[in-house]
Amino acid sequence: MVGQAVTGLSAGAAYALVAVGVVLIFKGTRVLSVAQGEIGAFGFFFGLRWANRGMPGLDWHPPLFATLLIAVVIGAVLGLVIERFIMRPLATRPPLDALIATLGIALLLALLEKEIFGTATQFAPSPVGKWRVQIFGATLTAERIVAVILAAAVAGAIYLFFTRSKFGLAVLATTGDPTVARLLGVPVNQVYRFVWVTGGALSGLAAALLGPAFGGLTPFDMTKFALRALAGAVIGGLDSVWGAIIGSLIVGVLEAVVGGQVHVEGAANVAVLILVIGTLVVRPRGLLGTSGAA
Amino acid sequence: MLRRVVERARIRVAATSPSRTAGVVAAVAILLWSFTLSDVRLSILVGVIGAAIAALGLDVLVARTGQLSLAHAAFLGVGAFTALNIGGRNGPWPLAVLGAVAATGAAAAIVGMPSLRIRGLQIAITTLAFQVMAENFLFVRQDFTAAGKTLERPGFITSDIRLYLFALAALAIVLVVRWRLAVTRAGRAFLAVRDVEARAQCFGVEPGSSKLLAYAISGCIVGLGGALLAIKEGSISAKDPFVLLESLQLVAIVVIGGAGSATGIVIASVLFKGVPQFISKISIFGLHISATRWVPIISSALLVAAVVQQPEGIGGVLRLLGRRIDKRLRPSTGEGLPPRPQPTDPVAAAHNAAALRDVPRPFALRMPVPALLVGHEVTVQYGGVFALSDVSLEVRRGEIVGLIGANGAGKSTFFNAVSGLAPVRGSIRYRGVELVGRAPSGRSALGAARTFQDMGLVRAETVKENVLLAQTWLSGYGPVAGIFGLGATLWRERDLRRRADLALALFGLEHLADERLGDLPYGTMRAVEIASAVAAGPDLLMLDEASAGLGPEEAHALGDRFLALRDELKLTLVVIEHHVPLIARVCDYAYCLESGALIAEGAPNYVTSQPQVVESFLGRGGAAGRSQAKAPKAPKAGPGGPSRRRRDRAQRGSDERAPERSGGAQRRRQGGDPVGAAAEGGGPRGRAGAPGLKRPAGTKRSAKQKAKP
């Protein structure tokens, strides 16, 4: 049981990477993005393909570690493109339109992955080595340990970003009221771009760690993980970075423990979803969210 | 007789726009052509119709309530598996269909329950949660999916063409339900809850039950689609048609087809569900593209493009096309110009006024009481802020009472307290009925209607639909009965439409009835809002800053309108106004609020000259401000000819005469209004015996003298 909880915690840490992206985007633009899984997976699939068969035209096989970097870079670029060509025209429209657009993006990316890489599971070797650690009877592989460390690092970085940097303050100002922020000289478009690029990069990071942790990736797999991250973000509060991390950890642990203890098909899913719906009904703003998240 | 029918049909056809005629002809032609298709293709079309029905069900939520459901594939599964369970256990097929419809409706209403507390994005997440739960938990259970059982087709479906006809019949039922929804109270209530949730209560709309009903109807429609799929397939072993991906496809169909446009959605369903199966390979420029593989990709790319570029989807494109065709074929004949004003027929005007006032109201609520509205120590507190503190005031029958005060004084809060949109301590009685503690949607039936400072109507709807919305409490049929046209629905609805026409005519807005409210100029929108409130048949009309944004001329005309409402419709008015000349001209009595407390009351001229009122309005500025406040009314107070109405106001020593009103188009005073005359009673009204009121004895104005020259 404790071992299951620890395993779940490490999965939760990887979800948290996606969830932090979701929350950053929500804080910056009031858009709920469900594409944060597939954005990263898209890049990671390319990284794996290139590591296997070499970069087209370059005849260079990137080392395994580079798959992670490729996923991060392609994720960031996708974030940039999505912000500029899809989200900016939608900025003045109802938030539901943007949600539908992100659904379409997730669908499009997953279907393209299916078309380019096939439906078979892509074996994903860990980009961060093959060592493992034993804690409380659970064996954690390298990518899971790295996920925990990275989640902690991202949390710290975001904390410093919001409390110490001027640009972090600009993001917070934009959250409050984009129009007023713009009038006060906050570069709102830069804020939008920043949150989407960061969200895309985090998504790539998460894909490169979650793929190996679960033995491989198929198209739509990352959307499933992204839904768990979304669940974590909702439970923790859609506009709270700390909430998203805590919520994702809760989701990871709950899923692992219920999945390990209750032998009914789909029980882990049901447990998480009941928690999500319960949170939304009892406390719509989530654990640490502000009223803006409700 | 026959000639009349033919003549009416001819007029109907002539009135139909060319684009509409072309559309109908094209639809019929395509339908007829579809019967010549092979059996395999017909059976594909049945599947397409199933998807179209599910998308049309989803669209009820998206277009009418503005909520996104990502669980409609799961609902489709609930419907299909319910039908299989009933039919597979030798239940008759009608029972299987009805069971599927009912079970899916119930499931949707349950999934929609969180919408009572949360909205928008969060609702989308809960439906997403249900979708994932259904496909991972429900649809993997053999007892739920009726694995190994087969649903026998109804006996009359012996061929694919009959199955196709059966599917078309189901589609027709769905289209009729959607149409009935659009023209009855349920559909109007959904839109109102979508756009002006809390305020819709003032029309008698109950947001909670409206939302659940919307989910239930949407679910029932999807359930029918599920039953159709079950009948087509006989048994369903894989959950593939009911997974999240399919939910997203349904959303894509609705968005690309255009929310609210049935035609667009059906076309989109054919494009995305039919075409990939009809045409397996498309060859363009030597490229061979597999349609089954690429259509989903293209549809998801189109989904993104549609949201960004063409939010109204195929339906929007068709509408635009139709408008262009009509413009070319039928050049506008002076359209857009308001019709020439008709000379007012006083008898008809009186009759119309009486018709508008004739609403079913218990006898106790029609009694001629002296004071319609009595607020006693009304307190509204938000956290530590007192928006109103111990305000006691009284609105007497047949008066126009002005409520004045600076911004934030609590004027609108008082209206909200009366409407039930603010938490109240104290007592507010309307015709002796205690309002505090009564549900807001239950208050409209008592006879108080109101407008809002920033509009409480649905801007996306037409003027007439909004006036109909305002009459929700009057509708006299249940929301569900309305959809099926049961009971008194049809003639009650005709009655409501007639009332809407009367109310619009009263305000000279009849030529705008079919215009989208949001397209009208601001002042006209405000007039529509007042017309809507009047259409609801109130005794007491509360107008929140009706003159805001109007120029002096328009404000003057508005004053005439107030007087007409009082004198011709025998309404009692409470008006929140900033426009001092207007108050001085039309109000019989005025209350001034400051920071939630009453600081002055009395005749308007008296109130506006009180030093504390002047100070409240203009700040501690002294004499200059004061003379400004008084200046506008001075020129009007001159001696006139024979006064049509004279009121002597013995007001705390000041003897002021109501300023003369100039005659206006709105003044069609008629003495013979049966309702008003009976209720008015005439003669001096006694003092209302309400305790604790500040109005000192002996200051009551004398009776209105309706001297006629």
Side-chain angles (χ1 to χ4, degrees):
Chain A
M1 177 117 173
V2 178
Q4 283 159 358
V6 171
T7 315
L9 212 58
S10 69
Y15 301 156
L17 291 175
V18 179
V20 167
V22 170
V23 166
L24 265 184
I25 290 171
F26 186 80
K27 268 175 104 80
T29 65
R30 294 282 134 184
V31 170
L32 187 62
S33 171
V34 291
Q36 288 319 101
E38 239 33 84
I39 289 175
F42 197 71
F44 188 52
F45 275 117
F46 272 102
L48 288 176
R49 167 66 63 94
W50 292 339
N52 257 339
R53 304 189 190 169
M55 290 266 265
L58 283 180
D59 198 29
W60 171 64
H61 287 253
L64 276 182
F65 179 72
T67 56
L68 188 144
L69 293 182
I70 291 170
V72 169
V73 170
I74 293 186
V77 170
L78 276 177
L80 190 68
V81 171
I82 290 169
E83 192 280 321
R84 179 64 191 84
F85 294 104
I86 298 170
M87 290 305 154
R88 209 175 290 172
L90 291 177
T92 52
R93 299 248 296 277
L96 228 45
D97 283 12
L99 174 66
I100 293 173
T102 65
L103 283 170
I105 294 166
L107 199 60
L108 180 64
L109 289 175
L111 289 169
L112 282 176
E113 286 159 17
K114 215 163 115 184
E115 191 56 35
I116 302 171
F117 305 105
T119 45
T121 305
Q122 299 276 314
F123 173 68
S126 161
V128 288
K130 284 193 171 173
W131 42 278
R132 44 190 68 210
V133 177
Q134 292 246 341
I135 309 168
F136 299 115
T139 310
L140 291 187
T141 47
E143 64 275 358
R144 286 174 180 262
I145 299 290
V146 171
V148 173
I149 295 169
L150 276 182
V154 165
I158 299 249
Y159 174 75
L160 289 178
F161 172 68
F162 280 131
T163 51
R164 297 291 157 83
S165 83
K166 204 172 158 188
F167 196 67
L169 200 63
V171 175
L172 292 180
T174 311
T175 310
D177 187 328
T179 315
V180 171
R182 204 184 286 271
L183 289 174
L184 290 174
V186 172
V188 171
N189 282 345
Q190 271 182 43
V191 168
Y192 290 169
R193 198 177 310 143
F194 168 80
V195 293
W196 275 100
V197 168
T198 314
L202 283 173
S203 170
L205 205 57
L209 297 172
L210 275 168
F214 286 86
L217 269 188
T218 55
F220 287 111
D221 264 5
M222 268 308 284
T223 295
K224 287 177 194 158
F225 295 133
L227 291 185
R228 287 172 194 148
L230 193 60
V234 169
I235 292 167
L238 266 178
D239 61 355
S240 158
V241 173
W242 290 102
I245 293 173
I246 293 169
S248 300
L249 294 178
I250 292 175
V251 168
V253 171
L254 186 71
E255 190 182 44
V257 170
V258 173
Q261 303 286 321
V262 186
H263 298 286
V264 179
E265 196 178 352
N269 259 311
V270 172
V272 171
L273 295 171
I274 287 175
L275 187 62
V276 169
I277 295 177
T279 307
L280 282 177
V281 172
V282 177
R283 193 181 159 84
R285 58 167 73 173
L287 291 177
L288 300 179
T290 65
S291 57
Chain B
M1 180 69 197
L2 187 68
R3 193 181 294 168
R4 260 182 66 193
V5 171
V6 170
E7 180 64 12
R8 209 176 284 171
R10 203 188 61 78
I11 291 171
R12 192 90 189 252
V13 170
T16 314
S17 61
S19 64
R20 208 179 170 82
T21 318
V24 171
V25 168
V28 170
I30 292 174
L31 201 62
L32 288 178
W33 168 76
S34 70
F35 286 105
T36 66
L37 292 172
S38 67
D39 281 358
V40 180
R41 297 198 156 181
L42 280 181
S43 132
I44 292 174
L45 273 187
V46 173
V48 170
I49 291 174
I53 289 176
L56 288 171
L58 173 60
D59 180 54
V60 169
L61 274 187
V62 174
R64 294 236 155 231
T65 71
Q67 292 181 347
L68 182 66
S69 161
L70 297 173
H72 267 55
F75 292 144
L76 194 65
V78 170
F81 290 132
T82 309
L84 285 177
N85 265 313
I86 297 174
R89 293 188 166 79
N90 296 326
W93 71 268
L95 190 67
V97 172
L98 284 179
V101 168
T104 317
I110 291 170
V111 173
M113 268 181 188
S115 72
L116 299 180
R117 266 184 65 92
I118 55 182
R119 45 193 310 171
L121 294 175
Q122 263 96 355
I123 285 298
I125 297 173
T126 55
T127 58
L128 181 64
F130 176 76
Q131 169 71 46
V132 176
M133 193 146 56
E135 74 183 63
N136 288 305
F137 191 74
L138 285 181
F139 299 164
V140 295
R141 255 145 252 286
Q142 300 213 330
D143 43 353
F144 188 86
T145 61
K149 295 204 177 61
T150 322
L151 169 67
E152 291 286 324
R153 282 189 183 180
F156 57 86
I157 299 182
T158 49
S159 62
D160 280 318
I161 203 151
R162 290 193 170 197
L163 180 65
Y164 178 56
L165 278 172
F166 184 75
L168 282 180
L171 182 63
I173 290 173
V174 170
L175 291 178
V176 168
V177 166
R178 280 174 55 101
W179 166 68
R180 291 299 305 164
L181 199 59
V183 298
T184 55
R185 65 178 281 192
R188 296 196 283 266
F190 294 168
L191 285 179
V193 172
R194 179 190 73 183
D195 287 1
V196 284
E197 178 162 354
R199 295 169 179 196
Q201 296 176 95
C202 298
F203 303 136
V205 172
E206 281 171 45
S209 58
S210 274
K211 284 177 184 171
L212 291 186
L213 183 67
Y215 274 93
I217 290 172
S218 177
C220 287
I221 293 175
V222 179
L224 184 63
L228 181 65
L229 286 187
I231 287 175
K232 176 185 174 242
E233 300 293 337
S235 69
I236 297 173
S237 52
K239 62 175 184 179
D240 290 7
F242 313 124
V243 295
L244 180 60
L245 185 62
E246 292 297 317
S247 270
L248 297 187
Q249 287 238 337
L250 287 176
V251 173
I253 288 175
V254 169
V255 172
I256 294 170
S261 161
T263 322
I265 288 170
V266 171
I267 293 175
S269 311
V270 173
L271 283 182
F272 297 123
K273 293 285 176 182
V275 169
Q277 307 208 37
F278 275 134
I279 312 159
S280 53
K281 265 208 174 79
I282 306 167
S283 299
I284 314 168
F285 307 123
L287 279 170
H288 300 289
I289 299 167
S290 156
T292 34
R293 274 163 61 198
W294 282 95
V295 163
I297 295 179
I298 294 168
S299 76
S300 50
L302 267 181
L303 171 62
V304 177
V307 171
V308 176
Q309 289 297 332
Q310 183 53 260
E312 290 184 30
I314 296 175
V317 174
L318 288 179
R319 265 195 298 279
L320 204 71
L321 214 63
R323 226 172 289 152
R324 288 223 179 121
I325 292 173
D326 291 345
K327 221 176 194 175
R328 182 153 301 178
L329 292 184
R330 260 185 213 173
S332 83
T333 50
E335 208 183 340
L337 294 173
R340 198 169 157 194
Q342 302 288 318
T344 344
D345 172 5
V347 179
H351 178 78
N352 290 349
L356 272 177
R357 297 280 278 120
D358 179 26
V359 292
R361 199 164 273 148
F363 185 67
L365 290 175
R366 287 186 282 136
M367 296 285 282
V369 292
L372 273 187
L373 190 71
V374 180
H376 181 61
E377 292 178 1
V378 179
T379 300
V380 174
Q381 190 181 356
Y382 292 110
V385 181
F386 284 87
L388 279 181
S389 47
D390 288 333
V391 171
S392 297
L393 51 75
E394 187 187 56
V395 177
R396 299 192 179 175
R397 253 186 91 74
E399 282 183 343
I400 299 179
V401 172
L403 207 52
I404 61 175
N407 286 327
K411 307 181 298 292
S412 294
T413 306
F414 178 75
F415 275 19
N416 285 341
V418 175
S419 311
L421 304 180
V424 179
R425 268 183 291 142
S427 152
I428 304 174
R429 286 173 170 272
Y430 176 78
R431 286 182 178 273
V433 180
E434 180 60 58
L435 291 181
V436 179
R438 200 175 251 268
S441 55
R443 300 186 189 194
S444 39
L446 298 176
R450 68 169 289 187
T451 65
F452 288 89
Q453 197 176 343
D454 46 354
M455 291 280 296
L457 295 177
V458 183
R459 287 165 194 254
E461 266 295 350
T462 63
V463 168
K464 189 156 181 185
E465 285 297 317
N466 272 298
V467 184
L468 288 170
L469 167 68
Q471 303 180 65
T472 297
W473 76 269
L474 262 173
S475 47
Y477 59 86
V480 179
I483 293 167
F484 297 107
L486 300 177
T489 305
L490 295 178
W491 60 268
R492 280 300 307 159
E493 192 61 29
R494 197 176 308 156
D495 197 40
L496 296 185
R497 280 167 201 277
R498 204 171 45 78
R499 290 180 58 86
D501 289 337
L502 285 181
L504 286 175
L506 195 70
F507 287 81
L509 296 165
E510 60 270 52
H511 60 290
L512 298 174
D514 295 322
E515 296 287 322
R516 223 176 65 101
L517 183 65
D519 294 340
L520 299 177
Y522 182 74
T524 317
M525 282 205 277
R526 302 305 304 265
V528 171
E529 197 179 13
I530 301 177
S532 305
V534 170
D539 290 331
L540 176 72
L541 188 58
M542 304 193 292
L543 304 176
D544 196 344
E545 288 198 26
S547 72
L550 299 185
E553 291 293 317
E554 293 165 301
H556 193 81
L558 186 73
D560 292 338
R561 186 155 285 168
F562 286 173
L563 294 170
L565 286 173
R566 181 189 66 191
D567 298 337
E568 283 159 36
L569 269 87
K570 312 294 176 207
L571 295 185
T572 304
L573 273 74
V574 185
V575 295
I576 292 178
E577 280 302 336
H578 281 300
H579 203 66
V580 174
L582 183 65
I583 296 163
R585 188 161 75 93
V586 304
C587 290
D588 301 291
Y589 205 77
Y591 292 92
C592 182
L593 289 168
E594 188 190 43
S595 309
L598 210 53
I599 56 167
E601 64 171 290
N605 289 338
Y606 168 77
V607 169
T608 51
S609 62
Q610 289 297 297
Q612 70 268 30
V613 175
V614 174
E615 196 175 286
S616 163
F617 263 84
L618 301 165
R620 232 172 256 275
R626 186 165 168 165
S627 66
Q628 258 178 22
K630 278 191 123 176
K633 68 192 179 214
K636 287 189 190 158
S643 171
R644 299 190 78 171
R645 183 164 75 172
R646 181 171 302 183
R647 283 181 214 206
D648 300 314
R649 300 174 195 211
Q651 289 290 348
R652 294 182 187 170
S654 74
D655 185 6
E656 285 176 316
R657 177 183 292 177
E660 281 306 301
R661 285 184 282 116
S662 57
Q666 291 295 324
R667 288 180 58 199
R668 294 167 258 138
R669 188 175 310 129
Q670 280 295 313
D673 174 18
V675 175
E680 197 66 26
R685 288 165 294 165
R687 278 255 319 139
L693 282 173
K694 291 185 193 158
R695 197 178 278 177
T699 62
K700 180 61 197 145
R701 294 128 289 171
S702 67
K704 284 192 269 180
Q705 293 173 0
K706 291 193 170 184
K708 272 186 213 145

